[in-house]
Amino acid sequence: MNLPKVARPLLRDEAYDRIRRAIVDGTLPPGTPLRDGDLAEQLGLSKAPVRDALRRLTEDGLVDQKPQSYTRVSEVMSPDVLDAREIVRLLHEFAVRAAAAKARPADIAAMRAANDRFARAIEAGDVEAAIKADDELHDIPVRLAGNAAVAATLDRYTPLLRRLEHARFSSTLAWNSVERHARLIDALEARDTGTAVSVISTIWTDLLEDR
């Protein structure tokens, strides 16, 4: 395990981002003990921003803490993950419902381009690029919905599902996502709200059921 040192000034936020990324991409696998001193040394920080990061990650459900006992990376499947999946699914349904009435040809084209990038990344086995393209695709309906609370809540809870996305996008199941993205985009282009909501619901529900 070798985490890069932090060079930018917002140390507390940067420590949080770095450790969260390492948990999500599997650099720090489930059950890994997290010692603030070790992490601080690897990141080139004092213990204070690392402790704050671990507190925030515990609130996010990515870290399990028991005072005077342990601090460790949480399991991939947990009640927190199930709860997050439901929140994320419902908020994406809300966003898609709003986007169906607002999507312009440029938005549809941007979603198709993102799905093309997603498919190329899957074919190349580049999971990080696939997740980036997937985010770009789903961010368009969220942006069109124009609801800051929805966007902020998704930013809070989506990381809990990243480890499931890593597993899915590194398997043949990822091709199901390419096809579902295409159906979602077609429905939004046709302003078929019912189909669009049904497809987005399936995308997030199957993130667990297809495992």
Side-chain angles (χ1 to χ4, degrees):
M1 182 176 68
N2 186 21
L3 303 182
K5 287 185 168 29
V6 173
R8 290 189 287 176
L10 298 176
L11 300 181
R12 182 173 58 186
D13 292 340
E14 189 67 16
Y16 170 78
D17 288 341
R18 293 283 181 90
I19 298 170
R20 182 173 75 168
R21 191 179 312 132
I23 291 172
V24 167
D25 69 17
T27 301
L28 296 171
T32 300
L34 299 173
R35 300 178 180 87
D36 53 11
D38 293 343
L39 291 170
E41 182 177 357
Q42 290 185 59
L43 294 170
L45 296 171
S46 67
K47 291 183 181 180
V50 171
R51 286 172 179 162
D52 184 80
L54 293 176
R55 177 188 59 77
R56 292 168 63 187
L57 290 163
T58 300
E59 292 173 354
D60 290 348
L62 291 171
V63 168
D64 289 331
Q65 281 191 326
K66 183 177 180 181
Q68 311 304 320
S69 183
Y70 60 77
T71 300
R72 63 194 180 200
V73 178
S74 67
E75 295 301 315
V76 174
M77 293 302 301
S78 69
D80 286 337
V81 171
L82 293 171
D83 291 346
R85 192 277 306 267
E86 287 304 298
I87 292 295
V88 168
R89 177 180 63 82
L90 290 169
L91 292 180
H92 276 289
E93 288 177 10
F94 173 91
V96 162
R97 191 174 285 110
K102 297 179 179 180
R104 301 163 299 173
D107 300 316
I108 298 300
M111 292 183 74
R112 291 197 192 283
N115 198 32
D116 288 344
R117 291 193 296 276
F118 178 79
R120 289 196 299 271
I122 293 302
E123 188 168 10
D126 188 340
V127 177
E128 293 301 327
I131 288 176
K132 183 175 185 293
D134 186 71
D135 282 346
E136 290 167 352
L137 187 154
H138 290 295
D139 281 349
I140 292 169
V142 173
R143 173 178 56 78
L144 291 172
N147 188 308
V150 167
T153 305
L154 286 172
D155 185 63
R156 165 79 184 275
Y157 288 105
T158 299
L160 263 177
L161 306 178
R162 288 295 191 216
R163 290 181 288 179
L164 295 175
E165 290 182 319
H166 267 264
R168 182 184 180 84
F169 294 164
S170 61
S171 76
T172 57
L173 292 171
W175 292 106
N176 292 340
S177 296
V178 175
E179 186 271 335
R180 287 167 183 163
H181 288 162
R183 287 172 51 214
L184 171 65
I185 296 164
D186 288 344
L188 290 174
E189 185 175 36
R191 300 197 184 281
D192 182 349
T193 304
T195 297
V197 171
S198 176
V199 172
I200 197 68
S201 179
T202 299
I203 286 171
W204 290 102
T205 299
D206 285 357
L207 189 60
L208 293 181
E209 271 67 2
D210 278 356
R211 293 181 80 245

